Amino acid sequence: MRKIVALLFGISTLLLNAQQKVNESLKKELDAIMKTDQGYRKLFHTGITPEKKEQLLKDLNIDQEEFKKKDWLLVAEQDSLNMQKIENIIAQYGYPGKTLVGEPTNKAAWFVIQHSTKIGKYLPLIKEAGKNKEIPFTLVAMMEDRSLMDEDKEQIYGTQGKGEMTKDKDGKQVFISFVWPVKDLENVNKRRKEAGFDSTIEENAKRMFGQDFKYEPYTLKQVLELRNKNK
């Protein structure tokens, strides 16, 4: 009986210690950052109703006239502010992962970095956080793909899509959406499964661009040609 009591006490102590490791003040700050990062982008979702947009503007304390005036620039400004905060947090704590702030708050810094121009600087930190299970590996995969796309290289997991203004055969400007070219396309769905994704590249393409979107593979050569046509 004493052994059972001691065991239960030991488990309770471990659980308590685990809970005490969560920095509640930091968690609150990161939750607020993630709310703005995600909330500002929801304003531009094609499926959002005027009523939901109005409520979201209120929740985010955004003036409707300012939103109409600045449009996407408002997101860029908020992203810059968020990135400054995240860099200060990282300088003090390292990556704020699951151990420090719990889930899903451990994704907050990732979102901000993913939407920044500093992926190259912080990708090693993200990889380390994934290795230590502080964030899901799927997030590491997505940021690695984004980094490769930014460098005009083939992505690995097929997580990133893009749109390019180009010209059709008649010289008319058109906008084309596509999944960024993938290295070793034949095995991409196998890699996605191993990385922890629960969808194929074809299914993910529909998530990015809509259910009517039909996935058609592009090569790097084709993508660069599309870009050059618009010059």
Side-chain angles (χ1 to χ4, degrees):
M1 186 65 178
R2 288 181 179 176
K3 289 183 178 180
I4 294 175
V5 171
L7 179 61
L8 291 173
F9 178 79
I11 293 173
S12 298
T13 302
L14 287 173
L15 290 173
L16 182 61
N17 288 338
Q19 291 174 347
Q20 288 175 339
K21 287 181 181 178
V22 173
N23 186 322
E24 294 295 342
S25 176
L26 181 58
K27 174 179 168 57
K28 185 177 180 180
E29 181 181 359
L30 285 166
D31 284 339
I33 291 172
M34 186 156 59
K35 179 182 177 181
T36 58
D37 178 273
Q38 296 297 286
Y40 274 60
R41 282 167 170 78
K42 286 179 183 177
L43 290 168
F44 294 89
H45 284 186
T46 55
I48 190 171
T49 64
E51 293 77 17
K52 286 185 177 179
K53 180 178 285 189
E54 184 178 351
Q55 184 59 52
L56 190 53
L57 286 169
K58 288 181 180 179
D59 293 342
L60 295 169
N61 295 315
I62 300 173
D63 180 76
Q64 289 197 27
E65 291 304 315
E66 184 183 16
F67 176 70
K68 290 177 183 178
K69 181 180 178 181
K70 291 188 174 181
D71 199 61
W72 187 259
L73 179 60
L74 206 63
V75 180
E77 290 176 351
Q78 187 61 47
D79 282 353
S80 180
L81 291 173
N82 284 344
M83 192 62 204
Q84 291 176 29
K85 294 175 183 177
I86 291 300
E87 289 197 287
N88 288 336
I89 289 170
I90 289 174
Q92 184 174 355
Y93 299 98
Y95 185 86
K98 181 172 66 175
T99 302
L100 187 62
V101 294
E103 298 178 293
T105 310
N106 60 329
K107 298 179 182 179
W110 178 89
F111 275 118
V112 175
I113 296 169
Q114 182 79 342
H115 295 147
S116 77
T117 58
K118 298 186 177 182
I119 288 176
K121 177 179 179 180
Y122 289 105
L123 182 57
L125 183 70
I126 295 297
K127 287 183 176 181
E128 186 68 19
K131 180 181 177 182
N132 294 330
K133 302 190 183 303
E134 293 293 339
I135 57 171
F137 183 76
T138 51
L139 298 186
V140 180
M142 290 173 71
M143 188 170 287
E144 186 167 13
D145 275 356
R146 177 67 65 86
S147 177
L148 290 167
M149 182 177 72
D150 289 346
E151 296 174 1
D152 284 343
K153 297 178 181 178
E154 293 174 314
Q155 60 177 325
I156 300 170
Y157 302 97
T159 65
Q160 302 300 302
K162 203 166 187 180
E164 290 279 358
M165 286 298 300
T166 185
K167 293 179 181 178
D168 61 17
K169 60 182 181 180
D170 299 320
K172 183 181 178 181
Q173 280 201 329
V174 292
F175 187 80
I176 297 179
S177 298
F178 53 90
V179 176
W180 187 259
V182 178
K183 183 178 182 180
D184 185 22
L185 182 60
E186 184 178 345
N187 294 303
V188 65
N189 285 329
K190 179 182 177 182
R191 290 196 300 277
R192 287 179 62 85
K193 187 175 181 180
E194 291 172 348
F197 293 106
D198 58 4
S199 62
T200 63
I201 190 172
E202 295 83 2
E203 292 166 342
N204 189 55
K206 290 183 180 295
R207 181 192 64 78
M208 288 191 288
F209 300 119
Q211 290 303 307
D212 294 332
F213 183 83
K214 183 179 179 182
Y215 171 59
E216 294 182 8
Y218 276 71
T219 64
L220 271 180
K221 182 180 178 182
Q222 288 174 316
V223 168
L224 296 177
E225 284 176 352
L226 284 175
R227 188 179 297 169
N228 291 332
K229 279 183 182 180
N230 198 43
K231 291 181 178 180

